[in-house]
Amino acid sequence: MDLAVLEKSVATVGAIVVFVFALIGLKGEWPKNGLDDIVTKLLLGLMAFGCLLVLLATAGVLPRGGA
């Protein structure tokens, strides 16, 4: 098995797991209105967005960076 395929597989599975748990946490935080709850919602949303970026990167949709 190629190392790049293994790396993409682990990144994909990890991103899916973290994305699901971030959405579950966001669903639980949604009705709360305190300042700390708003910050938690923001951070969970950013975490879910980051997972979507990882999924797009492993699918080859995002352009490659670097030199």
Side-chain angles (χ1 to χ4, degrees), residues 2 6-7 9 12-13 15 18 20-21 23 29 34-35 37-39 41 44 50 52 54 56 58 60 62 64-65:
D2 189 20
L6 179 64
E7 183 182 4
S9 300
T12 302
V13 170
V18 172
V20 168
F21 280 101
L23 288 184
E29 290 288 324
L35 179 62
D37 299 318
I38 293 171
V39 172
K41 286 187 249 186
L44 286 170
L52 288 177
V54 169
L56 289 174
T58 57
L62 294 179
R64 252 184 214 201

Side-chain angles (χ1 to χ4, degrees), residues 4-58:
V5 174
L6 179 64
E7 183 182 4
K8 282 185 179 184
S9 300
V10 170
T12 302
V13 170
I16 290 171
V17 169
V18 172
F19 181 75
V20 168
F21 280 101
L23 288 184
I24 290 170
L26 189 59
K27 182 182 174 190
E29 290 288 324
W30 199 256
K32 299 178 183 177
N33 291 327
L35 179 62
D36 57 337
D37 299 318
I38 293 171
V39 172
T40 303
K41 286 187 249 186
L42 176 68
L43 292 176
L44 286 170
L46 287 173
M47 188 184 310
F49 179 67
C51 290
L52 288 177
L53 289 178
V54 169
L55 290 173
L56 289 174
T58 57

